[in-house]
Amino acid sequence: MIDDAVANLTKLGMADKFELICADIFDEKFTLPEQVDCVVLSYTVSTFINNMEMLSDILLHCRRQMKPDGMVLLSDFCWVVQPKDDWFFGMFTSTQNGKTPEVWEPFKFHIVTAPDASFEIFHIPPHVMFNAGMKAGFRNINWLS
């Protein structure tokens, strides 16, 4: 994934303007040598975080790594009904009981490139992510869907 990002930045002529750092944000002792402009959490939160305390803690830890005018880009997803019938965009979702999962409850995510596998994802709706950001001290939050 890092190699793809570097290749894309190089293709755009912007590689010299970025320093990509891949780290374990769950490591509470992790610190960067200096604060950064942006922390990106991409498809990690709903895979590993299963309660509000963990979510607000990880966002607070990200906030501590950022410059005062920096930002966190949280690119994740929550439960949506995607039936298996047509493999909508090569994916579908399911639950054990066929009902919408409660907040923090896991659901299964399936992709066409691994048709025999199912990935457990925690249902964290946007309003919960928003509230965790507020709890972590963020005051300028843009909720895009």
Side-chain angles (χ1 to χ4, degrees):
M1 186 163 143
I2 293 293
D3 292 338
D4 291 340
V6 171
N8 287 332
L9 289 171
T10 301
K11 188 178 1 176
L12 292 169
M14 298 172 49
D16 62 327
K17 295 178 178 27
F18 288 86
E19 180 180 1
L20 298 174
I21 300 169
C22 186
D24 182 0
I25 197 66
F26 294 106
D27 179 358
E28 291 184 20
K29 296 176 185 162
F30 170 76
T31 56
L32 295 169
E34 60 184 341
Q35 290 182 312
V36 297
D37 295 308
C38 184
V39 175
V40 178
L41 299 172
S42 181
Y43 300 109
T44 57
V45 171
S46 61
T47 304
F48 300 107
I49 303 295
N50 64 7
N51 63 63
M52 180 60 99
E53 183 178 352
M54 288 175 71
L55 181 55
S56 57
D57 284 353
I58 195 169
L59 292 174
L60 179 59
H61 192 64
C62 290
R63 189 169 154 243
R64 290 180 181 141
Q65 305 301 315
M66 298 172 359
K67 294 177 181 174
D69 62 342
M71 69 175 68
V72 170
L73 171 61
L74 178 54
S75 173
D76 229 304
F77 64 100
C78 63
W79 167 260
V80 292
V81 177
Q82 289 184 243
K84 183 178 181 178
D85 306 347
D86 58 0
W87 281 87
F88 183 71
F89 288 105
M91 60 190 88
F92 75 94
T93 57
S94 65
T95 59
Q96 240 178 329
N97 61 10
K99 297 180 180 177
T100 298
E102 297 293 323
V103 174
W104 305 113
E105 190 175 49
F107 64 92
K108 301 292 183 184
F109 180 71
H110 312 264
I111 54 176
V112 72
T113 54
D116 297 325
S118 63
F119 302 92
E120 190 170 83
I121 305 295
F122 294 100
H123 178 46
I124 312 172
H127 74 277
V128 173
M129 299 251 190
F130 184 93
N131 290 338
M134 294 293 291
K135 187 175 178 183
F138 289 94
R139 295 294 175 253
N140 182 11
I141 302 173
N142 294 305
W143 171 352
L144 306 172
S145 56

